[in-house]
Amino acid sequence: MMFSKANNIEGLWDFEYMLKLANSGIFFFTTKSPKMQKLVADELKIYDIAVFDYSKYREDYSYYKLERFADQNPDKKILVVLNLQNAMIGKYSIVNLNLSRDMLYRRKQVWIFGMTEFLKDVILINAIDFYSWVNLKVSFEDENVERDSHYEFIASEEGFLKLSFIDDLLETYENPLKDGDDKDLIGDDNKTKSSFYSDIYEKIASLNNKKFEYDEALSWYFKSLNIREKIFDSEDPSIADLYNDIGVVYRNKGDYDKALEFYFKALDIREKVLWEGHTDIAFTCNNIGVAYSDTGEYDKALGYYFRALEIFQKVLRKENPSNAILYNNIGGTYGYKEDFDKALEYFFKSLETFEESLGSESPGVATSYDNIGSVYRDRGEFTKALEFYNKAMKIRQKRFGEEHPSTKQSYKNIAKID
C-alpha cells in the first residue's frame, strides 16, 4: 500500500480506511523516536487495539512471545507492536522475523509494527524478502500530530542476489534442521512446530530459486506443501501461496504447462476464500498472464493482465509499484504483438508510476527506459531508441557500477544500434 504526501490528518484517514478493509495483514511504520510511535498507537485506539511494547522487555524477537500476546487478545482485530528495534538484538533476529511472517499472517489479525528509522535501514540491508511484505511507512516530521507526515513504500528493488549472501542465509535457515528436530512433525500436538518447519522449508526453497537451483527449490517447496496439506484445510490461503511459488519455479525452469497448472490451483483457492478485489487474486492473474505471454498466447495473457489491472485500480493508489510492474507486462505483450503504439502507452505509464513511487533514478525507471528504447528500435526510430537506452545506462552506472549485469546489458542495447 502506498500513500503519497498528505497532511497528517488526511494521512491518518487513509491509514484508517485501509485498516477497515483489512481482515489480516502485516504493516509497518517508522518514526524518528519511540514517542512518535506512541502517537500513532494513540491515534489507532478508536479501533479497540491491543498494544505490545518491546521497550518493556530485554529480549530478542520471538514469534512465540507475540503468539502469547495474540492468544491473550483473541477478540482484537488489530494488534500493535511498538519499538520493534528493541527486539532486533540477536544474530538471527531478522531471520526469525522473516520466518514468522506467514505464521503471523495466518492468525487472521492485523499486525502493525512500529520501529525507528535505524531499524528500517538494518532491515533493508539484511532481509532478503522484506520488501514483499512491508506495506507502508509513516514518518512524522516532529512530535506534533497536526504537522506534516508522508507515507511511502519501503522497498529495495535491487534485491540481494549475491551468492555469498544467499549461501549465508541458507546456512542460517538450515541450522535448525541439523539436529533432526524436524522429524515426525505431522500431528495435532505438533501443529505449531510443523508450521514453523514448513515455513523454514519454504524459505530454503525461495533462496534456492534465487540461486537458479530450481529442482532443489521444488524439492523444498513440496516438502513444505506436504506439511501444510496435512495440518491445514485444503483451501487455506497458505497452500495457495505455495502453489503460486511452485508455479514461479516451474516458469523459471521453462515448464510453462506446470507453471500454469499451479498458478490455476492458487487462483482457484484464492477466488473461493478471498473477496474478488483482493490483491492476491490480481498477483496470481498477473503470473498467469506472464506464463501465457511466454508461450506466445498473447491475447490470453492480456485478458489476465487486465483482470489484475482492474483489481489494482480499485484497491491500490495509482503510484503503487505493483501497477508499474503490471503496466510493464502489458506493454511487453503489446510489443510482442507488434502493436507498438499500445506498447509505448503502457511503458510510459510504467515509467511514470516508477518515478512517482520509487524515484527518478530507481532500477524500475531504468527498466522502463530500456523497454521504451526497444520499442523505438523495433519501429526503426533509432535516435529515440538511443536516447532512452542511454538514460537507462546512466541510472545503472550510478546505482550499480560498470560491472553489474544490468549495466552491461545497457551497453549491449546501445551497441546493437551504434
Side-chain angles (χ1 to χ4, degrees):
M1 178 74 62
M2 167 175 294
F3 294 113
S4 58
K5 287 190 176 181
N7 73 47
N8 199 47
I9 298 303
E10 290 176 352
L12 286 169
W13 286 343
D14 283 334
F15 193 11
E16 291 168 2
Y17 176 72
M18 175 197 66
L19 293 177
K20 288 177 182 178
L21 294 178
N23 293 317
S24 61
I26 304 170
F27 303 92
F28 285 69
F29 65 89
T30 62
T31 66
K32 294 180 180 178
S33 72
K35 183 176 180 181
M36 294 184 198
Q37 292 181 42
K38 182 68 165 55
L39 286 175
V40 177
D42 287 343
E43 292 291 334
L44 296 176
K45 282 184 177 177
I46 60 171
Y47 293 99
D48 191 27
I49 62 175
V51 178
F52 180 93
D53 191 345
Y54 262 114
S55 67
K56 299 177 180 179
Y57 303 92
R58 289 184 174 273
E59 57 185 76
D60 199 2
Y61 175 86
S62 165
Y63 165 74
Y64 300 105
K65 186 82 172 179
L66 295 186
E67 182 182 45
R68 289 194 293 273
F69 164 60
D71 288 342
Q72 293 167 0
N73 296 279
D75 58 327
K76 305 293 186 183
K77 174 187 173 184
I78 299 174
L79 304 175
V80 179
V81 180
L82 302 181
N83 293 300
L84 183 62
Q85 72 279 352
N86 289 36
M88 296 290 110
I89 54 179
K91 182 178 180 181
Y92 300 120
S93 301
I94 293 177
V95 171
N96 291 332
L97 182 62
N98 274 330
L99 283 173
S100 69
R101 175 192 64 183
D102 294 331
M103 290 187 285
L104 290 170
Y105 186 80
R106 284 198 290 271
R107 294 194 64 91
K108 306 300 183 187
Q109 292 168 295
V110 176
W111 291 86
I112 301 175
F113 290 82
M115 59 186 179
T116 60
E117 291 282 354
F118 167 76
L119 180 58
K120 182 204 75 173
D121 295 337
V122 171
I123 287 171
L124 289 183
I125 292 170
N126 292 289
I128 192 165
D129 287 325
F130 203 78
Y131 73 93
S132 67
W133 59 289
V134 174
N135 297 83
L136 60 90
K137 168 187 171 184
V138 184
S139 179
F140 286 85
E141 298 300 324
D142 57 28
E143 295 176 4
N144 181 348
V145 295
E146 298 298 328
R147 299 283 296 183
D148 286 346
S149 69
H150 66 277
Y151 297 74
E152 65 183 55
F153 191 79
I154 298 178
S156 177
E157 277 192 89
E158 297 171 30
F160 300 91
L161 297 180
K162 291 182 180 178
L163 290 180
S164 60
F165 178 70
I166 294 177
D167 287 338
D168 287 345
L169 273 182
L170 271 171
E171 183 178 356
T172 299
Y173 287 127
E174 290 169 354
N175 278 338
L177 310 181
K178 292 178 180 177
D179 59 3
D181 196 37
D182 62 331
K183 300 295 186 292
D184 302 320
L185 292 176
I186 308 304
D188 292 339
D189 294 338
N190 286 324
K191 187 170 182 179
T192 299
K193 179 180 175 183
S194 298
S195 180
F196 175 77
Y197 280 104
S198 173
D199 291 336
I200 288 182
Y201 297 157
E202 182 185 4
K203 290 298 180 187
I204 294 174
S206 175
L207 290 169
N208 275 290
N209 182 48
K210 294 176 189 297
K211 288 183 65 178
F212 315 110
E213 299 285 350
Y214 300 131
D215 290 334
E216 186 74 7
L218 287 171
S219 174
W220 288 103
Y221 273 134
F222 280 114
K223 285 183 71 173
S224 179
L225 180 63
N226 181 55
I227 293 174
R228 291 190 192 174
E229 287 180 331
K230 288 182 171 68
I231 64 175
F232 296 121
D233 182 87
S234 62
E235 295 180 352
D236 190 274
S238 71
I239 292 178
D241 295 342
L242 277 178
Y243 285 153
N244 181 77
D245 292 341
I246 291 169
V248 169
V249 180
Y250 275 123
R251 188 237 166 186
N252 290 340
K253 284 188 67 175
D255 190 339
Y256 302 114
D257 289 339
K258 276 289 187 183
L260 285 167
E261 175 189 338
F262 281 91
Y263 286 152
F264 277 116
K265 284 184 176 182
L267 183 62
D268 182 60
I269 293 175
R270 288 172 172 174
E271 287 178 328
K272 289 177 180 176
V273 303
L274 303 175
W275 53 286
E276 170 57 28
H278 199 288
T279 53
D280 281 355
I281 293 175
F283 287 126
T284 310
C285 288
N286 176 70
N287 288 342
I288 292 171
V290 170
Y292 275 133
S293 185
D294 287 338
T295 60
E297 298 182 78
Y298 302 129
D299 290 333
K300 284 185 178 180
L302 287 171
Y304 282 95
Y305 285 148
F306 281 113
R307 182 181 173 191
L309 183 61
E310 183 180 1
I311 293 173
F312 282 166
Q313 289 177 335
K314 290 178 180 178
V315 301
L316 299 180
R317 294 242 171 175
K318 67 181 183 65
E319 66 270 29
N320 191 293
S322 295
N323 283 321
I325 294 169
L326 189 52
Y327 290 146
N328 177 71
N329 292 343
I330 294 172
T333 303
Y334 276 123
Y336 293 137
K337 285 169 63 72
E338 298 186 353
D339 188 339
F340 298 128
D341 289 340
K342 279 289 187 182
L344 284 175
E345 175 188 343
Y346 281 94
F347 283 143
F348 274 110
K349 285 184 177 183
S350 178
L351 172 63
E352 180 184 1
T353 307
F354 273 130
E355 286 178 329
E356 290 180 357
S357 60
L358 300 175
S360 61
E361 295 185 347
S362 70
V365 168
T367 298
S368 296
Y369 284 148
D370 254 353
N371 291 334
I372 292 168
S374 294
V375 175
Y376 280 126
R377 182 197 64 201
D378 291 343
R379 282 178 29 160
E381 298 181 52
F382 300 119
T383 301
K384 281 192 172 183
L386 276 175
E387 174 191 344
F388 284 95
Y389 280 152
N390 276 302
K391 287 182 177 181
M393 179 190 66
K394 289 177 181 177
I395 291 175
R396 289 167 174 161
Q397 285 175 327
K398 184 175 181 179
R399 292 284 302 245
F400 305 127
E402 299 288 341
E403 297 303 315
H404 193 274
S406 64
T407 309
K408 291 181 178 180
Q409 183 59 50
S410 287
Y411 297 151
K412 291 179 182 179
N413 291 339
I414 293 170
K416 289 178 182 178
I417 296 177
D418 286 344

